Amino acid sequence: MQAREANFDGLVGPTHNYAGLSFGNVASLANEKSAANPLAAAKQGLRKMKQLADLGFLQGVLPPQERPSLRLLRELGFSGNDARVLERAAKEAPELLAAASSASAMWTANAATVSPSADTQDGRVHFTPANLTSKLHRAIEHEATRRTLSAIFADEARFAVHEALPGTPALGDEGAANHTRFCSAYGERGVEFFVYGRSEYRRGPEPVRYPARQTFEASRAVAQRHGLHEEATVYAQQRPDVIDAGVFHNDVIAVGNRQTLFCHERAFVEQSAVYDRLRERLAKTGAELNVIEVPDARVSVADAVSSYLFNSQLLTRADGTEVLVVPQECRENPRVSAYLDDLISGAGPIADVLVFDLRESMKNGGGPACLRLRVVLTEAERAATAPGVWIDDALFTRLDAWIGKHYRDRLAPADLADPTLLVESRTALDELTQILGLGSLYDFQR
Ligand code: SUG
């Protein structure tokens, strides 16, 4: 079966800000309480979508969520009208207001884990929204994520959109950021690679400084409910010492596409055994794994974390060569930049590098790969999706104007208490559902 990979990027929401909410994510902590520019953030993300669509890649968009979440604040005991809830939260618990206001749903690599129909026993594309249980501001995403995915992938004969796993530490799930798929061609059966940070029940090494967000138990549950063939899955553990160095998701240290695995030499526990397992399983599908391992001596883990070299998108072009989509921080780091020059001038499969300014997202620890959810679709599956979410010239123009009309160009922590931000945000989202043709997605519309 012929299939293509689509990338669904998260549109940055109107409340994008820096609240230092993600302990273990170095950039999030470093930029805590600085002022953000939501307008620039949304435009930077949209430009990436447009440029990749122009290059012929299938590019979709996922809408932001309703923030601040009055629902969360009310659940936490703040009462009164909306303005009063915001005022009380700002005064009594500004950290909770920040959690309720984060635009973190923009990092759609954490929205869900997706298994293409070629890999699943029932021949449907399976989605499991991630429970994101390790951070409050992210744990409130999955219900709206499920609603959005169900609106876009509504045809139940072709798509299965599951509930998130139960939200408990044993089942911490961060979605596609810890999941990679290898295959000979997108439409052929592949090998799904699940990377976890710790196991709740099996003994094993764990980080000591920062949390491991993904558990083995969550990864295995996702594989099971997607109906993946046992012999087509591989599990690996992230090295705890690199989690402690700021690698809070596997996509900060490794990226894979088709037959290529591009990773740092210190990505996994027992790394060479992981390669062997991947090679052996992939060989059964008739494909050969090509590992590009970056030595510490060329790019240290610290350089990988600050430049986000591995939080890149590895995309296959029509001619079969691969292009690496990196943030501009990679070109600003002389060691990473020199490595990239060598990489594309060598004989390997990566032939080109595309550089994007995603500064606003990067300051919260979100690079090109964080901003996108990969969904492999056959032509018939693509035809069954909601038509309004695919980026083309017309949709780009409408979204660009929509951002210009509704977004602020400065948002400081104190602004989160401003009740007009809630009104602005709802007005913007109401208009967006019409642009994308997704119906009434948001609580405030129901
Ligand atoms: O979960 N940052 C996100 C970044 C997610 C990156 N995603 C991937 N690696 N796929 C997180 O840590 C920071 C929000 C703040 O501090 O305001 C934040 O949530």
Side-chain angles (χ1 to χ4, degrees):
M1 192 76 81
Q2 284 274 13
R4 292 176 69 191
E5 177 184 280
N7 280 270
F8 284 83
D9 280 44
L11 189 56
V12 177
T15 61
H16 161 68
N17 74 98
Y18 302 119
L21 296 173
S22 282
F23 179 65
N25 167 343
V26 180
S28 156
L29 271 278
N31 293 299
E32 178 174 7
K33 306 270 184 279
S34 60
N37 182 338
L39 181 107
K43 292 209 170 199
Q44 286 166 2
L46 185 63
R47 264 198 296 275
K48 170 164 92 76
M49 297 185 227
K50 172 69 160 66
Q51 223 168 303
L52 294 180
D54 284 348
L55 288 169
F57 298 108
L58 266 186
Q59 182 68 57
V61 61
L62 295 178
Q65 299 194 355
E66 182 188 345
R67 297 288 183 273
S69 169
L70 269 288
R71 187 205 292 203
L72 174 67
L73 295 174
R74 290 184 190 284
E75 276 172 1
L76 298 177
F78 297 98
S79 57
N81 63 26
D82 290 349
R84 177 84 184 120
V85 167
L86 293 170
E87 185 193 321
R88 280 195 50 211
K91 202 154 83 202
E92 293 164 31
E95 66 287 355
L96 296 180
L97 177 60
S101 304
S102 177
S104 56
M106 66 203 258
W107 299 297
T108 54
N110 307 116
T113 305
V114 186
S115 297
S117 52
D119 294 355
T120 65
Q121 274 157 14
D122 68 3
R124 294 190 294 167
V125 184
H126 284 248
F127 301 80
T128 292
N131 60 25
L132 296 170
T133 202
S134 93
K135 307 281 174 214
L136 173 60
H137 68 292
R138 305 224 58 185
I140 58 174
E141 293 175 26
H142 66 84
E143 204 181 305
T145 299
R146 181 168 191 277
R147 209 184 271 173
T148 302
L149 293 175
S150 301
I152 297 173
F153 304 99
D155 180 352
E156 289 178 14
R158 299 181 188 281
F159 307 115
V161 181
H162 299 271
E163 301 276 351
L165 295 174
T168 183
L171 293 174
D173 178 18
E174 301 276 319
N178 294 320
H179 174 256
T180 310
R181 176 175 184 260
F182 299 100
C183 56
S184 56
Y186 291 119
E188 300 301 318
R189 180 179 306 173
V191 171
E192 299 201 15
F193 181 43
F194 292 85
V195 181
Y196 58 91
R198 70 176 189 94
S199 166
E200 176 84 359
Y201 300 109
R202 299 182 173 190
R203 283 195 191 177
E206 286 193 21
V208 289
R209 184 168 174 221
Y210 293 144
R213 298 196 198 181
Q214 177 91 29
T215 67
F216 165 70
E217 289 75 12
S219 298
R220 190 179 51 182
V222 170
Q224 241 148 20
R225 58 155 60 161
H226 288 192
L228 299 182
H229 302 271
E230 178 74 31
E231 70 283 5
T233 55
V234 173
Y235 298 89
Q237 182 172 6
Q238 234 187 305
R239 279 182 59 150
D241 59 326
V242 302
I243 295 179
D244 280 337
V247 182
F248 58 99
H249 288 135
N250 179 58
D251 69 2
V252 178
I253 196 116
V255 59
N257 173 50
R258 294 210 358 188
Q259 307 193 39
T260 307
L261 169 60
F262 176 54
C263 63
H264 194 271
E265 73 169 328
R266 291 174 57 204
F268 313 112
V269 171
E270 293 174 12
Q271 191 139 335
S272 62
V274 173
Y275 298 157
D276 290 344
R277 280 205 302 282
L278 283 172
R279 285 208 171 92
E280 178 222 323
R281 303 253 144 137
L282 203 56
K284 291 190 183 138
T285 72
E288 207 176 304
L289 185 71
N290 187 348
V291 179
I292 305 174
E293 187 186 87
V294 181
D296 213 43
R298 291 281 331 246
V299 177
S300 66
V301 172
D303 279 340
V305 170
S306 63
S307 70
Y308 264 34
L309 169 63
F310 299 99
N311 198 261
S312 44
Q313 291 177 254
L314 193 49
L315 303 173
T316 304
R317 296 191 286 209
D319 66 1
T321 60
E322 290 180 290
V323 56
L324 195 69
V325 175
V326 301
Q328 71 184 33
E329 283 74 1
C330 285
R331 282 301 188 194
E332 290 161 3
N333 178 313
R335 293 168 298 281
V336 173
S337 187
Y339 178 82
L340 283 173
D341 288 337
D342 291 349
L343 179 72
I344 55 176
S345 60
I350 302 177
D352 216 343
V353 170
L354 274 176
V355 183
F356 283 91
D357 172 6
L358 297 165
R359 194 81 84 195
E360 285 285 320
S361 169
M362 284 287 287
K363 285 174 68 184
N364 255 337
C370 298
L371 287 161
R372 64 94 163 94
L373 181 67
R374 296 192 271 192
V375 185
V376 167
L377 296 168
T378 64
E379 192 40 47
E381 287 160 356
R382 189 170 97 88
T385 60
V389 295
W390 297 101
I391 297 287
D392 56 15
D393 286 348
L395 183 56
F396 168 78
T397 305
R398 287 188 79 183
L399 290 176
D400 194 54
W402 171 83
I403 294 165
K405 177 173 161 197
H406 295 285
Y407 280 53
R408 299 187 184 189
D409 62 6
R410 186 173 195 282
L411 200 63
D415 299 325
L416 299 179
D418 177 1
T420 58
L421 181 65
L422 173 68
V423 177
E424 284 167 27
S425 178
R426 285 183 176 165
T427 307
L429 296 182
D430 198 35
E431 201 177 303
L432 181 66
T433 49
Q434 290 164 38
I435 296 175
L436 300 179
L438 289 177
S440 298
L441 274 184
Y442 299 104
D443 283 347
F444 72 86
Q445 295 175 311
R446 295 184 162 208

